[in-house]
Amino acid sequence: FYEDVALIFGGTFLFANLISSCIFPLRNTPRFESPAFLVAMIFQSLSFLLLHSSVCTNNALIAQLKSDVAESSSSSGGSSTTVGGIMDFPDTCSLSTGGKCTIAAIVFW
């Protein structure tokens, strides 16, 4: 949710800034652009709240999926933490490539 708000809010002001600088190259920057980019940065940084939510720590759907996979793999002899040897479902969330891109977006805002 927060990433979408940051993208829409910040993207709107960024696009408006680019268009207006092409139309009026010697214009003064309006006073609302800096706070607008600051708000976009704040919304982007709020996306890290997901790492400490119930989605990452005590997700009932992941627990159910793990138990279903454990039941099916016990009959077929496979691993209980992977689905078809492809997906792993750890107990907690961690910072991965998407989180690093979010940090870069926060810096660029």
Side-chain angles (χ1 to χ4, degrees), residues 30-66:
R31 293 180 184 251
F32 63 86
E33 284 186 1
S34 296
F37 290 127
L38 182 66
V39 168
M41 185 268 309
I42 289 170
F43 275 117
Q44 189 76 41
S45 62
L46 285 175
S47 66
F48 283 115
L49 292 176
L50 180 75
L51 294 175
H52 296 292
S53 69
S54 63
V55 172
C56 287
T57 54
N58 297 321
N59 194 337
L61 293 174
I62 297 295
Q64 179 66 35
L65 183 63
K66 280 184 176 181

Side-chain angles (χ1 to χ4, degrees), residues 73-101:
S73 66
S74 64
S75 63
S76 65
S79 173
S80 63
T81 60
T82 60
V83 177
I86 298 172
M87 296 172 29
D88 185 22
F89 295 100
D91 293 332
T92 59
C93 295
S94 63
L95 190 65
S96 185
T97 306
K100 293 175 185 174
C101 288

